[in-house]
């Protein structure tokens, strides 16, 4: 594998939020050169891969629209010009926000489900999400897989739902880097968008499938948090499986959701309760199983 040849930290830190951000404050940002044309870029806790080279700029995920200029400034500082392609890993607003800014000129790639979800009013976290204008919708969509060559390397995209019904992963096999969207929230319980087709069991199945089929030295860029190694992914999937087993045993013994929450059955895993609590995670498991 190509080693990380340059490690540039502009400003380090993680802020995770699934709510609208305050655009008046400069967000925390972080940039890591993964090789001579591929960069890990984090803005306000939302992680991107950016490919910059002879074919132009490809951006994986589009952050909140409020952070457009911070994202663009970083791309400019890395030698990129206009953004030619945006890939949306799923339909959530912290991954598609800048479609409305850069979509005037960039081509947007994603799953058919992302286009469907962004084309209509949908509920997310108790709020109605308005449809995006046509120019901000993906124009290149696929059902299962999509492959393209860009900046001298093949990019493979594959539909792997679980966090929502719309998720894709974006794999750069020669660089041994993959962006897995929100299938994993690094070091914390993940959000599962049950009302839009998310399912904890599918999520785990797809994480295991990835870690078993990809080379062991692949770097996993997650939607939020630090870059994961194979070992990190294995430990994370063990945590998912153990907590799911505990909750499922309690469901099988006839307990209701509220009774399982009261028993505090996954308290031994409370270090993962960062963005979402143990009870949130119990509820995601319960609702996935009951669906
Ligand atoms: Zn998400």
């Amino acid at each position: 594998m190509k080693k990380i040849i340059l490690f540039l930290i502009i400003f380090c830190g993680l802020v995770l939020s699934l709510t609208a951000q305050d655009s008046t404050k400069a967000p925390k940002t972080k940039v890591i050169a993964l090789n001579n044309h591929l960069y890990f870029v984090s803005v306000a806790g939302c992680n991107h891969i950016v490919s910059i080279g002879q074919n132009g700029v490809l951006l994986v995920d589009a952050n909140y629209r409020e952070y457009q200029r911070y994202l663009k400034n970083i791309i400019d500082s890395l030698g990129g010009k206009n953004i030619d392609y945006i890939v949306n890993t799923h339909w959530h607003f912290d991954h598609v926000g800048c479609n409305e800014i850069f979509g005037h000129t960039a081509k947007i790639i994603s799953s058919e489900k992302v286009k469907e979800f962004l084309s209509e009013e949908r509920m997310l976290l108790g709020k109605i999400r308005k449809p995006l204008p046509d120019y901000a919708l993906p124009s290149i969509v696929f059902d299962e897989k999509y492959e393209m060559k860009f900046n001298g390397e093949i990019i493979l995209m594959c539909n792997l739902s679980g966090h929502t019904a719309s998720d894709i992963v974006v794999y750069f096999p020669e660089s041994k880097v993959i962006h897995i969207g929100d299938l994993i929230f690094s070091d914390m319980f993940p959000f599962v968008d049950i009302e839009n087709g998310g399912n904890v069991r599918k999520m785990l199945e797809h994480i295991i499938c990835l870690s078993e089929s990809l080379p062991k030295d692949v770097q996993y860029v997650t939607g939020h948090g630090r870059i994961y190694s194979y070992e990190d992914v294995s430990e994370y999937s063990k945590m998912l499986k153990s907590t799911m087993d505990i909750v499922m045993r309690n469901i099988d013994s006839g307990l209701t959701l509220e009774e399982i929450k009261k028993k505090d059955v996954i308290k031994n895993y409370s270090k993962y309760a960062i963005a979402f609590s143990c009870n949130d995670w119990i509820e995601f498991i319960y609702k996935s199983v009951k669906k």
Side-chain angles (χ1 to χ4, degrees):
M1 140 190 199
K2 283 181 188 171
K3 294 277 180 197
I4 294 172
I5 54 170
L6 175 65
F7 191 92
L8 170 66
I9 297 176
I10 291 177
F11 195 96
C12 174
L14 165 69
V15 174
L16 171 71
S17 171
L18 285 169
T19 56
Q21 302 289 309
D22 177 4
S23 58
T24 58
K25 273 206 250 168
K28 290 180 178 176
T29 62
K30 181 174 181 175
V31 178
I32 300 172
L34 301 166
N35 56 33
N36 62 0
H37 67 281
L38 222 54
Y39 301 87
F40 166 87
V41 173
S42 184
V43 177
C46 299
N47 296 337
H48 308 264
I49 291 176
V50 187
S51 172
I52 300 177
Q54 59 194 6
N55 297 130
V57 175
L58 178 142
L59 171 69
V60 182
D61 273 344
N63 219 302
Y64 298 93
R65 60 175 291 161
E66 289 86 340
Y67 293 130
Q68 47 156 314
R69 72 186 165 99
Y70 300 100
L71 189 53
K72 187 65 173 63
N73 284 348
I74 291 173
I75 292 170
D76 288 348
S77 73
L78 296 169
K81 295 194 175 95
N82 292 330
I83 297 168
D84 299 282
Y85 289 95
I86 293 172
V87 184
N88 295 140
T89 61
H90 60 291
W91 80 288
H92 287 159
F93 46 91
D94 52 334
H95 298 257
V96 304
C98 293
N99 283 15
E100 284 191 73
I101 311 297
F102 306 130
H104 285 291
T105 50
K107 289 191 175 70
I108 303 172
I109 307 173
S110 198
S111 64
E112 285 172 1
K113 277 279 180 211
V114 166
K115 184 171 185 180
E116 180 190 323
F117 284 7
L118 294 177
S119 304
E120 58 195 20
E121 264 190 11
R122 292 193 79 86
M123 290 297 288
L124 175 61
L125 293 166
K127 283 189 183 162
I128 294 175
R129 295 286 150 194
K130 293 231 154 40
L132 293 186
D134 280 354
Y135 75 87
L137 296 173
S139 56
I140 301 172
V141 293
F142 60 94
D143 181 22
E144 287 185 8
K145 286 178 187 166
Y146 184 74
E147 182 178 323
M148 67 187 288
K149 191 158 190 192
F150 193 75
N151 289 339
E153 72 177 331
I154 300 286
I155 306 174
L156 302 172
M157 300 171 210
C158 177
N159 197 332
L160 284 185
S161 61
H163 170 63
T164 70
S166 68
D167 311 295
I168 64 165
V169 296
V170 188
Y171 182 37
F172 301 78
E174 287 158 59
S175 298
K176 296 198 174 174
V177 180
I178 186 168
H179 196 306
I180 59 166
D182 284 356
L183 277 181
I184 288 178
F185 281 50
S186 302
D187 307 328
M188 50 193 146
F189 293 133
F191 171 58
V192 186
D193 185 1
I194 307 271
E195 58 191 328
N196 293 293
N199 187 292
V200 166
R201 288 199 280 204
K202 265 195 188 167
M203 198 176 212
L204 176 61
E205 187 185 308
H206 287 152
I207 293 169
I208 291 173
C209 173
L210 281 175
S211 66
E212 285 180 352
S213 34
L214 297 179
K216 299 278 189 287
D217 53 356
V218 162
Q219 299 189 82
Y220 295 76
V221 173
T222 65
H224 307 281
R226 67 187 173 94
I227 297 175
Y228 261 21
S229 65
Y230 168 80
E231 288 75 20
D232 294 323
V233 172
S234 300
E235 194 182 324
Y236 192 84
S237 49
K238 269 188 216 152
M239 177 279 286
L240 294 183
K241 176 148 191 346
S242 306
T243 50
M244 283 166 65
D245 285 349
I246 292 168
V247 175
M248 283 197 277
R249 276 202 300 278
N250 280 273
I251 294 172
D252 289 345
S253 71
L255 295 187
T256 64
L257 174 59
E258 287 314 312
E259 285 166 339
I260 298 171
K261 283 182 179 177
K262 265 197 194 136
K263 268 181 79 182
D264 209 4
V265 292
I266 55 169
K267 60 173 181 285
N268 292 344
Y269 296 86
S270 59
K271 71 170 181 179
Y272 292 97
I274 296 171
F276 294 91
S277 68
C278 289
N279 279 349
D280 291 331
W281 180 233
I282 288 171
E283 189 162 336
F284 293 145
I285 298 169
Y286 187 93
K287 287 184 172 170
S288 296
V289 171
K290 289 287 182 184
K291 233 180 179 180

